[in-house]
Amino acid sequence: MMAKACSTDKLWDLATAEVQSRERSAGEDACAGAEAGGERTVFLMGSKAGGKTSILLRCLDRDEPAKPTLALEYTFGRRATGHNTPKDIAHLWELGGGTSLSDLVQIPITAASIGSLSVVLVLDLSAPAALWATMETLLQVAQAHVEQAASQARLVNKSRAGSKHSPSMAFAARVLPKDFPDRELISPFPVPLLIIGSKYDLFQELASDKRKVVCKTLRFVAHYHAASLIFSSIKSESLMSKTKSFFSHLAFNVDTGRTLSCDSSKPLLIPAGSDSLSQIGSPPATDVDMTSLHAKNPKDLWKKVFERIFPPENTGEKKEVKDPAKDPQYAELQIDAMRAQKDQELEDYKKEAAKSWKGLQLDT
């Protein structure tokens, strides 16, 4: 039994080493960059059970039931661009488990994919108490890996400079237009970012004053990161059609149109660069003395105000299951029964071994 445990650890180490090796090689087999070949990468992450899979399936026009995401899953989409021309391809990665498996972002975010990468953050509007922590954790982890992959891409390009046999990798830092609102006051996410507020149908059941707080806060977060923001629900064909338009823009560079909705009484739809700090206004702190919050920066101020209104969940009481073998969403009857049998055999062995040690007369 101990040998099996050790082999499992070694398997994980090998997988980690393989990812690191791929990052170092930085796509030797795709050295020209994905974007040049009509290929893009879209990485979806967000709230646990927030509807990521359902949204993805609808955006791909796949009529199949959504299943719980097993850690990190991959699929792809194709789109015809014209007669007798190669189809555009979108590589689609979806991270499951909310924030508990955030370390896996290193797999889709690499030096080879960074040149054509976009990120979609799906936040469950019906669970505002977990909203900020989920958003903050996932964006921080993703941004750190994006910056690391970008650095690796630059090193690869530097080492390949002047070589005809090793073309440079397609990567350029994201630069906002000069007329982008509040350009000097915000902190743009390093790659295109789309924030989707899911389960809008359930969100409507919240009190109107609380809905306004969520809307205003997400407008600030999206604008601060130079991201697009849209509220959606798989129960609304109209909202899903608009969501699909934004998704197709990231996956296939399809035009999103000029629709705009900033009214908190309606589903938000705000393309990047269409909002501004002056239009968003100050944090909704009617009952809070903002001078007492001791915020380090504007984003920290919005966080403190939001968490005053929606206290974050107690992570000690509601802890994520770190071992997928014990997570009920991955239950497999026969495998779990065999695992339980082997666990029991291990416990019996431990008890017998303990008795044997106790019966030994050691020299003193």
Side-chain angles (χ1 to χ4, degrees):
M1 298 302 294
M2 293 301 291
K4 290 184 178 180
C6 290
S7 63
T8 302
D9 292 339
K10 290 180 179 179
L11 182 62
W12 181 255
D13 292 339
L14 289 171
T16 303
E18 175 65 18
V19 170
Q20 294 173 345
S21 174
R22 290 181 183 181
E23 290 178 343
R24 284 193 298 268
S25 63
E28 289 289 339
D29 297 329
C31 54
E35 195 169 18
E39 298 186 15
R40 292 172 175 242
T41 299
V42 181
F43 175 45
L44 288 86
M45 58 184 186
S47 305
K48 185 175 183 179
K52 297 182 293 297
T53 304
S54 297
I55 292 173
L56 179 59
L57 291 175
R58 293 287 288 275
C59 288
L60 294 175
D61 294 323
R62 294 182 183 174
D63 186 15
E64 57 186 82
K67 299 178 181 179
T69 302
L70 300 175
L72 181 70
E73 295 191 357
Y74 169 83
T75 187
F76 64 91
R78 289 196 184 102
R79 178 180 177 273
T81 56
H83 185 62
N84 290 333
T85 58
K87 292 183 177 181
D88 288 339
I89 299 176
H91 301 282
L92 310 171
W93 294 87
E94 181 189 350
L95 178 68
T99 60
S100 64
L101 300 173
S102 59
D103 289 347
L104 295 179
V105 304
Q106 63 182 304
I107 295 176
I109 301 177
T110 66
S113 68
I114 192 70
S116 62
L117 177 70
S118 298
V119 173
V120 178
L121 175 66
V122 180
L123 298 174
D124 185 350
L125 296 175
S126 69
L131 190 149
W132 189 282
T134 299
M135 176 273 299
E136 185 174 50
T137 300
L138 291 176
L139 286 184
Q140 285 178 350
V141 173
Q143 180 164 346
H145 279 82
V146 166
E147 292 172 351
Q148 179 181 350
S151 177
Q152 292 169 347
R154 293 188 190 97
L155 290 175
V156 170
N157 287 342
K158 188 175 181 179
S159 65
R160 292 176 177 175
S163 173
K164 296 181 179 180
H165 302 288
S166 299
S168 297
M169 303 189 68
F171 173 74
R174 186 186 183 195
V175 178
L176 298 181
K178 292 184 178 180
D179 60 349
F180 197 98
D182 311 306
R183 188 170 179 265
E184 304 299 328
L185 302 175
I186 61 177
S187 179
F189 199 72
V191 297
L193 173 65
L194 169 62
I195 299 176
I196 299 177
S198 65
K199 301 186 181 181
Y200 181 75
D201 53 309
L202 298 178
F203 176 66
Q204 289 179 293
E205 298 176 4
L206 292 179
S208 60
D209 58 333
K210 291 190 175 183
R211 291 203 306 270
K212 289 180 181 178
V213 171
V214 174
C215 290
K216 205 170 184 181
T217 302
L218 285 182
R219 283 180 64 185
F220 170 80
V221 169
H223 183 61
Y224 185 78
H225 291 293
S228 295
L229 173 65
I230 184 170
F231 284 4
S232 188
S233 169
I234 60 172
K235 296 184 179 180
S236 169
E237 289 297 330
S238 174
L239 293 181
M240 280 309 308
S241 176
K242 295 172 182 176
T243 303
K244 182 180 177 181
S245 176
F246 274 76
F247 175 84
S248 297
H249 176 68
L250 297 180
F252 305 111
N253 200 29
V254 176
D255 186 23
T256 59
R258 299 182 180 276
T259 308
L260 176 68
S261 175
C262 298
D263 188 347
S264 62
S265 65
K266 300 176 182 178
L268 297 182
L269 193 162
I270 309 175
S274 301
D275 216 340
S276 68
L277 295 176
S278 61
Q279 291 176 332
I280 297 169
S282 59
T286 54
D287 300 326
V288 180
D289 179 10
M290 287 192 283
T291 60
S292 67
L293 297 178
H294 305 293
K296 296 176 289 186
N297 51 57
K299 184 180 177 183
D300 190 43
L301 177 61
W302 280 84
K303 174 183 178 179
K304 290 180 181 296
V305 171
F306 186 83
E307 292 187 340
R308 281 284 185 94
I309 300 170
F310 297 105
E313 296 175 336
N314 190 329
T315 55
E317 294 179 1
K318 194 174 181 180
K319 193 174 183 180
E320 295 280 6
V321 179
K322 292 293 185 181
D323 184 358
K326 298 178 181 178
D327 195 324
Q329 71 170 319
Y330 306 137
E332 292 285 350
L333 185 60
Q334 294 180 338
I335 296 176
D336 291 343
M338 180 62 70
R339 171 67 183 267
Q341 178 183 335
K342 294 299 182 183
D343 286 344
Q344 187 58 51
E345 290 176 2
L346 177 59
E347 289 302 317
D348 293 342
Y349 171 79
K350 288 180 178 178
K351 290 178 181 178
E352 290 299 322
K355 291 179 182 178
S356 299
W357 279 104
K358 288 179 181 178
L360 290 177
Q361 297 295 326
L362 301 178
D363 295 334
T364 56

